[in-house]
Amino acid sequence: DAGVTQSPTHLIKTRGQQVTLRCSPISGHKSVSWYQQVLGQGPQFIFQYYEKEERGRGNFPDRFSARQFPNYSSELNVNALLLGDSALYLCASSLRDGLTPLFFGPGTRLTVL
Amino acid sequence: GQQVMQIPQYQHVQEGEDFTTYCNSSTTLSNIQWYKQRPGGHPVFLIQLVKSGEVKKQKRLTFQFGEAKKNSSLHITATQTTDVGTYFCAGEGGSEKLVFGKGTKLTVNP
């Protein structure tokens, strides 16, 4: 079975631009979570979606938004990019909501210049 | 909000030595998970602990969950070069989603 896939792999944007990151979960997994990992730090929770509904939101500004589609894939959007948004954005899927391990994708490396 | 702290931040060992990383939460957890991230890679799930005082083993790795469900440890016996990477604990509790510690970066000298 294929693991979690993310696109694009790398992205370079300039301040003020907008970006959309995409994620496809493992087949059969209905929950998708997004994490931001700054170099040298642990992943920080951004959003969780389960069955297309938002189940959790981390301490991120409203410039960050996400959605989950009927096929359980997901998009993360970030508007008005700042230099501090440069990070590895990780998508993780899990079978269901709560008390389940996360299976991470390879991530999208975003660089904001 | 919930905080998860890990020590040490870095650990360098000679191949064959043991390694331990410790994780402490500011709140009681419903479960704790451990992940390993190789250099340039993404976090990979290792194990989940749910019960108070639980101990689980995976070959040379031993995971413990504290009696109060606020702390955990990962111990690796006789490290190998393949153990290199950053080990993260991640705790889930209350209304908080999975909160990751900052990780312990392990390097192994062959």
Side-chain angles (χ1 to χ4, degrees), chain B:
Chain B
Q2 177 186 325
Q3 293 185 8
V4 174
M5 293 145 285
Q6 262 186 276
I7 56 169
Q9 190 174 357
Y10 302 95
Q11 185 75 58
H12 179 76
V13 300
Q14 289 291 127
E15 189 172 20
E17 292 182 338
D18 291 357
F19 159 76
T20 304
T21 174
Y22 301 91
C23 181
N24 285 284
S25 170
S26 58
T27 59
T28 302
L29 301 170
S30 59
N31 74 94
I32 195 158
Q33 300 171 24
W34 286 90
Y35 293 80
K36 176 184 178 181
Q37 186 172 24
R38 295 181 184 274
H42 57 275
V44 174
F45 172 75
L46 294 177
I47 208 158
Q48 178 176 280
L49 304 170
V50 179
K51 298 177 183 177
S52 170
E54 190 170 12
V55 177
K56 286 188 177 181
K57 292 189 177 183
Q58 288 180 351
K59 297 182 180 178
R60 295 178 294 103
L61 279 61
T62 302
F63 303 85
Q64 288 188 306
F65 199 10
E67 293 291 340
K69 301 184 74 172
K70 294 182 72 173
N71 62 287
S72 181
S73 65
L74 158 60
H75 179 83
I76 302 178
T77 303
T79 54
Q80 300 174 359
T81 55
T82 54
D83 295 326
V84 164
T86 301
Y87 293 84
F88 292 100
C89 64
E92 192 166 14
S95 60
E96 300 273 358
K97 295 298 179 181
L98 204 59
V99 177
F100 281 76
K102 291 186 176 182
T104 296
K105 184 176 182 179
L106 172 65
T107 54
V108 180
N109 198 29

Side-chain angles (χ1 to χ4, degrees), chain A residues 4 26 29 91-95 100-105, chain B residues 35 42-45:
Chain A
V4 177
I26 292 172
H29 284 198
C91 172
S93 76
S94 56
L95 193 58
T100 55
L102 299 178
F103 295 88
F104 283 90
Chain B
Y35 293 80
H42 57 275
V44 174
F45 172 75

Side-chain angles (χ1 to χ4, degrees), chain A residues 38-59:
Chain A
V38 175
L39 197 62
Q41 301 292 316
Q44 189 172 0
F45 173 71
I46 310 175
F47 284 109
Q48 189 216 349
Y49 278 79
Y50 176 69
E51 289 280 18
K52 302 179 287 294
E53 291 187 2
E54 182 181 303
R55 289 301 185 99
R57 183 185 183 116
N59 189 25

